[in-house]
Amino acid sequence: MPNARDIRARINSIRETRKITNAMYLISSTKMRKAKREWDQTRPYFQALQAEVKRIFRTADNVESRYFYPLEDEPPLNGTYGCLVITADKGLAGAYNQNVLKEAQHMLDTHPDTKLFVVGEYGRQYFMRHNIPIERSFLYTAQNPTMQRAREITAELLERFESGELQKIYVIYTDIKNSLAENVNSARMLPFHRSVFTAPAGEKKVQEPFEFYPSVTGVLNNIVHSYVSGYIYSALIDSFCSEQNARMSAMSTANENAEKMLSSLALEYNRIRQAAITQEITEVAAGARAQRLRKAANTEKRGDTP
């Protein structure tokens, strides 16, 4: 059974750990707010790009682009797939990384001819430990998503897609729904469905003719490059915010558990301390009683002596 000193040492250790978890909670909260603010500043531009793609499909007929499925049907594309997997650089974020890797493993099991493009040290280490080949690892931290990094990833993926090396491109990332839940998305990024960019039902079609230079396909392809960069940047931001939210949740749970452990240990410490005080009082009382009895016995003995 631990003594009071051992319990006091454990209480101090838990208090120090709680300081660390509380600091990590505050840091994650600050990082998440900053990332959301940066994405909110960039979002209108990519929403405008999406609107322009819709405008092209509304005003021009028979638009052909390698980035879109044909209008008539969706031909099967059974070649090599590319998959961008976005994880964190470290753990302590609940099941955030495990859920992403589980989805990536499911894709590999479903379509073995898949090349992995990985962002995040946690994912890199996982695939290396399991001897799963990585086609390209983007060797920069997942902690600071920027538009420049999104463009670098876009250039790599589009080059392989345009050359025919990749038939489809997927991205696996975590999308934050609210402060209590994150959802792992496995989304096909290329080729696009035209329905994603069609106008809502009932919207009036633009009647004025548009002139596209050098061609409608050239304009569309140029827009798609920027749109894909925005898509990847959004995935990086969403993943980063989800990671921070998951870490905040994990650290909050750790703080709550620390409070419960401190309460339990404080109760146990007080019991041991009270037991020690009671024992000391009992020993003092017993000693005093023994002294009184010995004194009475000595007094009686002296009174009986002639």
Side-chain angles (χ1 to χ4, degrees), residues 1-5 7-8 265-283:
M1 181 177 179
N3 54 34
R5 179 181 296 178
I7 294 177
R8 191 163 56 247
L265 289 172
L267 182 61
E268 185 177 356
Y269 176 77
N270 290 334
R271 286 176 179 173
I272 294 176
R273 184 169 176 270
Q274 188 62 43
I277 293 174
T278 302
Q279 183 177 358
E280 291 178 2
I281 294 174
T282 302
E283 291 175 352

Side-chain angles (χ1 to χ4, degrees), residues 53 56 63-68 162 212-226:
V53 176
I56 290 175
V63 180
E64 297 296 334
S65 174
R66 58 179 175 272
Y67 300 116
F68 293 85
E162 292 167 357
F212 297 95
Y213 181 82
S215 65
V216 62
T217 300
V219 172
L220 182 62
N221 291 345
N222 186 56
I223 293 177
V224 166
H225 276 253
S226 296

Side-chain angles (χ1 to χ4, degrees), residues 26 93 108-109 125 133 145 155 159 168 228 246 254 272-273 299 302 306:
L26 296 175
L108 290 173
D109 295 338
Q125 294 299 325
E159 180 182 355
K168 289 184 181 181
V228 172
I272 294 176
R273 184 169 176 270
T299 301
R302 286 197 300 271

Side-chain angles (χ1 to χ4, degrees), residues 13 26 44 76 84 86 91 97 113 119 141 143 157 169 172 186 198-199 231 234 244 256 264 272 282 291-292 300 303:
S13 176
L26 296 175
L84 176 64
I86 304 175
N97 290 300
D113 190 11
V119 175
T141 176
Q143 296 297 306
L157 295 178
I169 297 179
I172 298 178
S186 178
T198 56
Y231 192 103
S234 172
Q244 303 310 317
E256 293 174 1
S264 176
I272 294 176
T282 302
Q291 289 291 338
R292 287 196 303 270
E300 183 179 354

Side-chain angles (χ1 to χ4, degrees), residues 50-154:
Q50 186 176 28
E52 290 307 313
V53 176
K54 290 182 179 180
R55 187 190 302 273
I56 290 175
F57 283 125
R58 289 200 305 267
T59 58
D61 297 327
N62 300 323
V63 180
E64 297 296 334
S65 174
R66 58 179 175 272
Y67 300 116
F68 293 85
Y69 280 113
L71 184 61
E72 294 79 11
D73 55 5
E74 181 178 324
L77 300 175
N78 298 319
T80 303
Y81 291 178
C83 182
L84 176 64
V85 182
I86 304 175
T87 66
D89 290 326
K90 55 186 177 181
L92 296 177
Y96 168 80
N97 290 300
Q98 286 74 20
N99 291 337
V100 173
L101 295 173
K102 186 184 299 184
E103 186 65 30
Q105 188 64 57
H106 175 71
M107 173 164 284
L108 290 173
D109 295 338
T110 305
H111 192 85
D113 190 11
T114 299
K115 294 184 178 181
L116 297 178
F117 301 82
V118 181
V119 175
E121 186 62 29
Y122 198 100
R124 284 193 287 268
Q125 294 299 325
Y126 172 85
F127 292 123
M128 289 174 61
R129 287 196 307 270
H130 291 79
N131 296 321
I132 299 175
I134 299 175
E135 181 68 18
R136 170 73 188 275
S137 181
F138 297 97
L139 297 176
Y140 42 70
T141 176
Q143 296 297 306
N144 185 26
T146 63
M147 192 64 218
Q148 179 58 35
R149 291 175 176 176
R151 290 193 180 101
E152 292 175 3
I153 297 173
T154 300

Side-chain angles (χ1 to χ4, degrees), residues 161-187:
F161 181 79
E162 292 167 357
S163 67
E165 181 180 346
L166 301 178
Q167 295 297 314
K168 289 184 181 181
I169 297 179
Y170 288 81
V171 55
I172 298 178
Y173 68 101
T174 308
D175 185 16
I176 179 171
K177 287 187 174 181
N178 51 55
S179 60
L180 299 177
E182 298 95 18
N183 182 42
V184 177
N185 283 341
S186 178

